[in-house]
Amino acid sequence: MELSFSPSSSLRIPHRNIPFPHTTIPTKPTTKSHHSLLECHPRLPSLRLYTHTACSIPASTRQHTRNSIRACTQVGAAGSDPVLNKVLDFKDACWRFLRPHTIRGTTLGSTALVARALIENSHLIKWSLLLKAFSGLFALLCGNGYIVGINQIYDVRIDKVNKPYLPIAAGDLSVQSAWFLVIFFAVTGLLIVGLNFGPFITSLYSLGLFLGTIYSVPPFRMKRFPVAAFLIIATVRGFLLNFGVYYATRAALGLTFEWSSPVAFITTFVTMFALVIAITKDLPDVEGDRKYQISTFATKLGVRNIAFLGSGLLLVNYVASVLAAIYMPQAFNRSLMIPFHAILALILIFQVWVLEQANYTKEAISGFYRFIWNLFYAEYIIFPFI
C-alpha cells in the first residue's frame, strides 16, 4: 500500500567521437531495468545515454533512474562475474519492491514514538531493551513490505501503465519471487511480534496484515472503493502504527498504557494525514486507474479538486496544531510547535500554487505527491521535541 525528490534537467551529448582511454565498456546491459534506462545514444551502445533530442527521463521514473544508475555502477565494478551481477540486480529489485518512501515513513514513525515514550520515562531506560526495540522495528518493516508487496502482485497490469519502474511491472522481479518475499515478510513479522510483544500487540499486527490483504486481494479488493480504501490506509498508517508502537514501548518499560497529550496529538494528526495520503496517492495514477476501472476520488472528482481537498485537510491539521499549542501550553512546546507548523502551512500553500501554475502535468503531480510525503516525514522528525 501506499501505507520519497530532484530538479529536472537533460544531459546533452555532442554527436562526435568520444575517446575513452583505458576503459572497457560492456556492450550489453545485464537486466531489463538497465536496458529500459540506458537506451538511446547511437555512439555509446553500452551506455546509451539520453540526448536532448532523443529521450528524456520522466519525473515518475527518476527514483528508478537513480537506483538503476547505482546498480549499473556496481555491475561495472563487479566485472564479468554473473553471480555477483544477479545478486546486485536482485537487491535493487527488492529495494524498489519495498517502496522506499513507505519504509522511511514506518521507520521515522516508530522511532519517533519510541523516543517520545523514553523521553517521558527516562528513568526506566535499560540497554537490554535495545534488541527488543530493533526486533519490533524489523517486524514493522516486514509488515510494511508484505502490504506494499501484495499490492504490487495484484496490480501488475495497472502498474505497467502507472508505475512501470516497479520491479514486477518492469520484469526485474518475477511474481514467484514476489510471493516468496511477501510470505517471508508475513511469517517473520508475526513470529517476531508473537514471541516478543504479547497477544494484544500480535492481534493489532494481525489486523494490520488483514486490512492490507483485503485492500489488494480479490474478491475483496477494497481499493476499488474510495471510502473503504482511504479508511484502511488511515487505520493502518495512522491509528494502528502510532497506538501500537506507543503501547508496546510502555509495556516493555513495565508501564500500563495511558494517553499523553503529545501521543494523542500525533495519532490524530497522522491519522488525518494518512487520509490525505490515501486520496492523493492516486493523483499520478489516473490514466491506469481509468483504463482498468479502478474507482478513486481522483478519477471521480478530478485531479485538481483532489489536490485542493488534500491540501485543505493538511491546512486544517496545521491550524489545529497551532491552536493546540496556544490553548495547551502545559502540554506542548509552544516555541517550537507554533512556528514549525505555520512555516509548513505556508510552504504547502506555495506548493499548491506551483502545481496550479504547472497546469497539473503528470510530472508536477508526482512532485506534489512526493512533497506531501516530505511533510509527513517532517512531522515525525519534530514530534519527540514538541
Side-chain angles (χ1 to χ4, degrees), residues 234-294:
T235 300
V236 174
R237 186 159 288 283
F239 177 76
L240 288 180
L241 176 65
N242 292 276
F243 169 74
V245 170
Y246 189 67
Y247 183 102
T249 305
R250 286 185 63 89
L253 294 172
L255 302 171
T256 58
F257 178 81
E258 62 180 42
W259 289 104
S260 67
S261 296
V263 173
F265 160 78
I266 196 65
T267 302
T268 305
F269 185 99
V270 172
T271 300
M272 175 70 83
F273 210 122
L275 288 176
V276 174
I277 289 175
I279 64 175
T280 58
K281 74 178 183 63
D282 298 313
L283 291 178
D285 300 340
V286 170
E287 179 184 354
D289 289 341
R290 284 175 176 161
K291 181 176 180 179
Y292 291 100
Q293 298 179 341
I294 299 295

Side-chain angles (χ1 to χ4, degrees), residues 160-323:
K160 285 181 179 179
V161 178
N162 291 337
K163 302 181 182 76
Y165 52 87
L166 291 179
I168 303 179
D172 299 331
L173 186 71
S174 68
V175 174
Q176 291 83 356
S177 296
W179 271 113
F180 173 81
L181 288 172
V182 297
I183 292 172
F184 169 79
F185 290 144
V187 172
T188 303
L190 282 169
L191 284 175
I192 291 173
V193 174
L195 293 174
N196 292 279
F197 296 97
F200 181 66
I201 293 298
T202 302
S203 65
L204 291 180
Y205 190 87
S206 301
L207 176 61
L209 296 184
F210 171 74
L211 291 175
T213 301
I214 65 172
Y215 177 86
S216 301
V217 176
F220 308 102
R221 202 152 168 79
M222 304 305 291
K223 67 177 296 177
R224 295 175 299 166
F225 311 106
V227 174
F230 80 70
L231 286 176
I232 288 175
I233 293 174
T235 300
V236 174
R237 186 159 288 283
F239 177 76
L240 288 180
L241 176 65
N242 292 276
F243 169 74
V245 170
Y246 189 67
Y247 183 102
T249 305
R250 286 185 63 89
L253 294 172
L255 302 171
T256 58
F257 178 81
E258 62 180 42
W259 289 104
S260 67
S261 296
V263 173
F265 160 78
I266 196 65
T267 302
T268 305
F269 185 99
V270 172
T271 300
M272 175 70 83
F273 210 122
L275 288 176
V276 174
I277 289 175
I279 64 175
T280 58
K281 74 178 183 63
D282 298 313
L283 291 178
D285 300 340
V286 170
E287 179 184 354
D289 289 341
R290 284 175 176 161
K291 181 176 180 179
Y292 291 100
Q293 298 179 341
I294 299 295
S295 178
T296 67
F297 283 111
T299 59
K300 285 180 172 292
L301 303 179
V303 170
R304 185 174 186 270
N305 290 333
I306 293 303
F308 273 92
L309 175 61
S311 302
L313 292 174
L314 286 184
L315 287 176
V316 169
N317 244 4
Y318 290 134
V319 171
S321 302
V322 171
L323 293 177

Side-chain angles (χ1 to χ4, degrees), residues 21-246:
H22 311 295
T23 303
T24 301
I25 303 176
T27 59
K28 183 178 179 181
T30 58
T31 67
K32 294 180 183 179
S33 64
H34 301 160
H35 177 75
S36 64
L37 169 68
L38 309 169
E39 99 178 267
C40 295
H41 199 280
R43 294 182 181 264
L44 301 176
S46 60
L47 295 179
R48 294 202 281 271
L49 297 174
Y50 289 156
T51 66
H52 179 69
T53 57
C55 299
S56 61
I57 302 175
S60 63
T61 62
R62 285 176 182 166
Q63 184 63 41
H64 172 49
T65 299
R66 290 195 292 271
N67 290 338
S68 296
I69 290 173
R70 188 181 302 114
C72 288
T73 303
Q74 293 169 333
V75 168
S80 59
D81 187 342
V83 175
L84 184 56
N85 290 348
K86 289 181 180 180
V87 170
L88 293 173
D89 294 339
F90 184 71
K91 184 184 76 169
D92 172 66
C94 287
W95 179 240
R96 285 181 284 129
F97 183 67
L98 290 173
R99 305 309 307 277
H101 66 285
T102 66
I103 292 291
R104 282 189 282 270
T106 299
T107 303
L108 279 172
S110 56
T111 302
L113 283 153
V114 170
R116 185 73 206 190
L118 295 179
I119 289 171
E120 294 172 349
N121 305 278
S122 57
H123 60 289
L124 297 175
I125 296 176
K126 299 176 184 178
W127 286 107
S128 60
L129 295 175
L130 191 60
L131 180 60
K132 191 169 188 176
F134 278 115
S135 67
L137 174 59
F138 185 70
L140 287 172
L141 295 180
C142 283
N144 190 103
Y146 169 81
I147 291 172
V148 299
I150 202 77
N151 180 253
Q152 290 174 67
I153 289 173
Y154 284 96
D155 272 8
V156 176
R157 291 187 305 164
I158 301 174
D159 286 341
K160 285 181 179 179
V161 178
N162 291 337
K163 302 181 182 76
Y165 52 87
L166 291 179
I168 303 179
D172 299 331
L173 186 71
S174 68
V175 174
Q176 291 83 356
S177 296
W179 271 113
F180 173 81
L181 288 172
V182 297
I183 292 172
F184 169 79
F185 290 144
V187 172
T188 303
L190 282 169
L191 284 175
I192 291 173
V193 174
L195 293 174
N196 292 279
F197 296 97
F200 181 66
I201 293 298
T202 302
S203 65
L204 291 180
Y205 190 87
S206 301
L207 176 61
L209 296 184
F210 171 74
L211 291 175
T213 301
I214 65 172
Y215 177 86
S216 301
V217 176
F220 308 102
R221 202 152 168 79
M222 304 305 291
K223 67 177 296 177
R224 295 175 299 166
F225 311 106
V227 174
F230 80 70
L231 286 176
I232 288 175
I233 293 174
T235 300
V236 174
R237 186 159 288 283
F239 177 76
L240 288 180
L241 176 65
N242 292 276
F243 169 74
V245 170
Y246 189 67

